[in-house]
mmCIF file of all heavy atoms in Angstrom:
data_model
loop_
_atom_site.group_PDB
_atom_site.id
_atom_site.type_symbol
_atom_site.label_atom_id
_atom_site.label_comp_id
_atom_site.label_asym_id
_atom_site.label_seq_id
_atom_site.Cartn_x
_atom_site.Cartn_y
_atom_site.Cartn_z
ATOM 1 N N GLN A 56 56.399 39.428 67.269
ATOM 2 C CA GLN A 56 55.477 40.433 67.784
ATOM 3 C C GLN A 56 56.086 41.827 67.712
ATOM 4 O O GLN A 56 57.187 42.061 68.237
ATOM 5 C CB GLN A 56 55.091 40.130 69.242
ATOM 6 C CG GLN A 56 54.253 38.876 69.407
ATOM 7 C CD GLN A 56 53.992 38.544 70.860
ATOM 8 O OE1 GLN A 56 54.587 39.126 71.767
ATOM 9 N NE2 GLN A 56 53.091 37.600 71.089
ATOM 10 N N GLN A 57 55.389 42.745 67.048
ATOM 11 C CA GLN A 57 55.780 44.151 67.041
ATOM 12 C C GLN A 57 55.535 44.738 68.425
ATOM 13 O O GLN A 57 54.460 44.568 68.998
ATOM 14 C CB GLN A 57 54.968 44.915 66.005
ATOM 15 C CG GLN A 57 55.097 46.410 66.081
ATOM 16 C CD GLN A 57 56.502 46.901 65.803
ATOM 17 O OE1 GLN A 57 57.149 46.396 64.885
ATOM 18 N NE2 GLN A 57 56.993 47.842 66.581
ATOM 19 N N LEU A 58 56.521 45.436 68.966
ATOM 20 C CA LEU A 58 56.403 46.051 70.287
ATOM 21 C C LEU A 58 55.975 47.506 70.130
ATOM 22 O O LEU A 58 56.580 48.266 69.367
ATOM 23 C CB LEU A 58 57.736 45.971 71.022
ATOM 24 C CG LEU A 58 57.760 46.455 72.474
ATOM 25 C CD1 LEU A 58 56.805 45.639 73.341
ATOM 26 C CD2 LEU A 58 59.186 46.382 73.023
ATOM 27 N N ILE A 59 54.917 47.884 70.856
ATOM 28 C CA ILE A 59 54.372 49.234 70.785
ATOM 29 C C ILE A 59 54.133 49.750 72.203
ATOM 30 O O ILE A 59 53.525 49.061 73.030
ATOM 31 C CB ILE A 59 53.049 49.277 69.992
ATOM 32 C CG1 ILE A 59 53.264 48.754 68.562
ATOM 33 C CG2 ILE A 59 52.466 50.691 69.971
ATOM 34 C CD1 ILE A 59 51.974 48.603 67.768
ATOM 35 N N PHE A 60 54.609 50.950 72.489
ATOM 36 C CA PHE A 60 54.355 51.622 73.762
ATOM 37 C C PHE A 60 53.374 52.770 73.513
ATOM 38 O O PHE A 60 53.563 53.539 72.569
ATOM 39 C CB PHE A 60 55.651 52.187 74.345
ATOM 40 C CG PHE A 60 56.679 51.151 74.704
ATOM 41 C CD1 PHE A 60 57.612 50.733 73.766
ATOM 42 C CD2 PHE A 60 56.713 50.604 75.979
ATOM 43 C CE1 PHE A 60 58.564 49.780 74.090
ATOM 44 C CE2 PHE A 60 57.658 49.646 76.318
ATOM 45 C CZ PHE A 60 58.586 49.229 75.370
ATOM 46 N N VAL A 61 52.348 52.907 74.370
ATOM 47 C CA VAL A 61 51.363 53.971 74.157
ATOM 48 C C VAL A 61 51.801 55.315 74.725
ATOM 49 O O VAL A 61 51.075 56.292 74.620
ATOM 50 C CB VAL A 61 49.974 53.605 74.736
ATOM 51 C CG1 VAL A 61 49.430 52.346 74.112
ATOM 52 C CG2 VAL A 61 50.015 53.519 76.254
ATOM 53 N N GLY A 62 53.001 55.389 75.287
ATOM 54 C CA GLY A 62 53.486 56.660 75.826
ATOM 55 C C GLY A 62 53.318 56.779 77.316
ATOM 56 O O GLY A 62 52.828 55.865 77.990
ATOM 57 N N ASP A 63 53.727 57.923 77.860
ATOM 58 C CA ASP A 63 53.836 58.137 79.303
ATOM 59 C C ASP A 63 54.806 57.133 79.917
ATOM 60 O O ASP A 63 54.480 56.397 80.859
ATOM 61 C CB ASP A 63 52.467 58.095 79.986
ATOM 62 C CG ASP A 63 51.753 59.443 79.922
ATOM 63 O OD1 ASP A 63 52.228 60.335 79.197
ATOM 64 O OD2 ASP A 63 50.709 59.599 80.585
ATOM 65 N N LEU A 64 56.002 57.134 79.382
ATOM 66 C CA LEU A 64 57.090 56.342 79.958
ATOM 67 C C LEU A 64 57.568 56.954 81.263
ATOM 68 O O LEU A 64 58.114 56.245 82.114
ATOM 69 C CB LEU A 64 58.282 56.293 78.996
ATOM 70 C CG LEU A 64 58.057 55.856 77.555
ATOM 71 C CD1 LEU A 64 59.375 55.893 76.794
ATOM 72 C CD2 LEU A 64 57.442 54.475 77.495
ATOM 73 N N ILE A 65 57.376 58.253 81.420
ATOM 74 C CA ILE A 65 58.110 59.037 82.421
ATOM 75 C C ILE A 65 57.187 59.656 83.469
ATOM 76 O O ILE A 65 55.975 59.617 83.354
ATOM 77 C CB ILE A 65 58.919 60.153 81.735
ATOM 78 C CG1 ILE A 65 57.975 61.085 80.931
ATOM 79 C CG2 ILE A 65 59.984 59.563 80.825
ATOM 80 C CD1 ILE A 65 58.668 62.315 80.347
ATOM 81 N N ASP A 66 57.862 60.204 84.515
ATOM 82 C CA ASP A 66 57.253 61.031 85.572
ATOM 83 C C ASP A 66 56.538 60.195 86.632
ATOM 84 O O ASP A 66 55.965 59.154 86.362
ATOM 85 C CB ASP A 66 56.290 62.078 84.998
ATOM 86 C CG ASP A 66 56.965 63.025 84.022
ATOM 87 O OD1 ASP A 66 58.193 63.165 84.115
ATOM 88 O OD2 ASP A 66 56.278 63.611 83.170
ATOM 89 N N ARG A 67 56.597 60.729 87.827
ATOM 90 C CA ARG A 67 55.924 60.204 89.023
ATOM 91 C C ARG A 67 56.597 58.959 89.588
ATOM 92 O O ARG A 67 56.775 58.852 90.790
ATOM 93 C CB ARG A 67 54.433 59.928 88.758
ATOM 94 C CG ARG A 67 53.636 61.184 88.414
ATOM 95 C CD ARG A 67 52.143 60.948 88.571
ATOM 96 N NE ARG A 67 51.401 62.190 88.385
ATOM 97 C CZ ARG A 67 50.634 62.467 87.352
ATOM 98 N NH1 ARG A 67 50.489 61.567 86.383
ATOM 99 N NH2 ARG A 67 50.008 63.614 87.267
ATOM 100 N N GLY A 68 56.945 57.973 88.779
ATOM 101 C CA GLY A 68 57.575 56.752 89.264
ATOM 102 C C GLY A 68 59.067 56.923 89.511
ATOM 103 O O GLY A 68 59.655 57.967 89.216
ATOM 104 N N PRO A 69 59.720 55.856 90.032
ATOM 105 C CA PRO A 69 61.099 55.985 90.511
ATOM 106 C C PRO A 69 62.185 55.846 89.458
ATOM 107 O O PRO A 69 63.347 56.177 89.737
ATOM 108 C CB PRO A 69 61.219 54.840 91.531
ATOM 109 C CG PRO A 69 60.283 53.793 91.002
ATOM 110 C CD PRO A 69 59.113 54.559 90.413
ATOM 111 N N ASN A 70 61.883 55.346 88.253
ATOM 112 C CA ASN A 70 62.956 55.047 87.300
ATOM 113 C C ASN A 70 62.582 55.443 85.872
ATOM 114 O O ASN A 70 62.592 54.615 84.960
ATOM 115 C CB ASN A 70 63.312 53.554 87.358
ATOM 116 C CG ASN A 70 64.074 53.191 88.613
ATOM 117 O OD1 ASN A 70 65.183 53.653 88.849
ATOM 118 N ND2 ASN A 70 63.453 52.363 89.444
ATOM 119 N N SER A 71 62.307 56.722 85.686
ATOM 120 C CA SER A 71 61.963 57.205 84.348
ATOM 121 C C SER A 71 63.155 57.131 83.401
ATOM 122 O O SER A 71 63.015 56.759 82.227
ATOM 123 C CB SER A 71 61.457 58.642 84.419
ATOM 124 O OG SER A 71 60.213 58.705 85.081
ATOM 125 N N LYS A 72 64.339 57.493 83.869
ATOM 126 C CA LYS A 72 65.519 57.479 83.005
ATOM 127 C C LYS A 72 65.798 56.074 82.495
ATOM 128 O O LYS A 72 66.048 55.871 81.298
ATOM 129 C CB LYS A 72 66.732 58.019 83.753
ATOM 130 C CG LYS A 72 67.989 58.079 82.898
ATOM 131 C CD LYS A 72 69.170 58.602 83.698
ATOM 132 C CE LYS A 72 70.438 58.615 82.852
ATOM 133 N NZ LYS A 72 71.617 59.066 83.642
ATOM 134 N N ALA A 73 65.748 55.085 83.381
ATOM 135 C CA ALA A 73 65.994 53.704 82.959
ATOM 136 C C ALA A 73 64.931 53.232 81.978
ATOM 137 O O ALA A 73 65.221 52.492 81.033
ATOM 138 C CB ALA A 73 66.027 52.782 84.181
ATOM 139 N N THR A 74 63.692 53.676 82.182
ATOM 140 C CA THR A 74 62.609 53.298 81.274
ATOM 141 C C THR A 74 62.860 53.863 79.880
ATOM 142 O O THR A 74 62.735 53.157 78.870
ATOM 143 C CB THR A 74 61.262 53.798 81.818
ATOM 144 O OG1 THR A 74 61.041 53.248 83.123
ATOM 145 C CG2 THR A 74 60.120 53.371 80.901
ATOM 146 N N VAL A 75 63.224 55.141 79.807
ATOM 147 C CA VAL A 75 63.508 55.752 78.506
ATOM 148 C C VAL A 75 64.688 55.062 77.838
ATOM 149 O O VAL A 75 64.653 54.777 76.631
ATOM 150 C CB VAL A 75 63.774 57.262 78.676
ATOM 151 C CG1 VAL A 75 64.322 57.865 77.378
ATOM 152 C CG2 VAL A 75 62.501 57.981 79.087
ATOM 153 N N GLU A 76 65.724 54.795 78.596
ATOM 154 C CA GLU A 76 66.897 54.131 78.016
ATOM 155 C C GLU A 76 66.536 52.755 77.465
ATOM 156 O O GLU A 76 67.010 52.368 76.385
ATOM 157 C CB GLU A 76 67.995 54.011 79.076
ATOM 158 C CG GLU A 76 68.636 55.342 79.435
ATOM 159 C CD GLU A 76 69.590 55.243 80.609
ATOM 160 O OE1 GLU A 76 69.543 54.219 81.337
ATOM 161 O OE2 GLU A 76 70.378 56.197 80.809
ATOM 162 N N LYS A 77 65.696 52.026 78.173
ATOM 163 C CA LYS A 77 65.286 50.705 77.704
ATOM 164 C C LYS A 77 64.474 50.821 76.425
ATOM 165 O O LYS A 77 64.685 50.054 75.472
ATOM 166 C CB LYS A 77 64.472 49.993 78.785
ATOM 167 C CG LYS A 77 64.013 48.589 78.398
ATOM 168 C CD LYS A 77 65.217 47.661 78.231
ATOM 169 C CE LYS A 77 64.785 46.237 78.004
ATOM 170 N NZ LYS A 77 65.951 45.318 77.848
ATOM 171 N N VAL A 78 63.550 51.749 76.378
ATOM 172 C CA VAL A 78 62.710 51.902 75.193
ATOM 173 C C VAL A 78 63.553 52.334 73.999
ATOM 174 O O VAL A 78 63.374 51.830 72.880
ATOM 175 C CB VAL A 78 61.569 52.897 75.463
ATOM 176 C CG1 VAL A 78 60.835 53.249 74.180
ATOM 177 C CG2 VAL A 78 60.594 52.297 76.482
#
Side-chain angles (χ1 to χ4, degrees):
Q56 293 175 349
Q57 169 63 42
L58 185 61
I59 301 173
F60 296 89
V61 301
D63 276 10
L64 307 180
I65 59 173
D66 301 337
R67 297 197 174 109
N70 287 296
S71 292
K72 182 181 178 183
T74 302
V75 170
E76 289 172 345
K77 181 65 174 180
V78 170

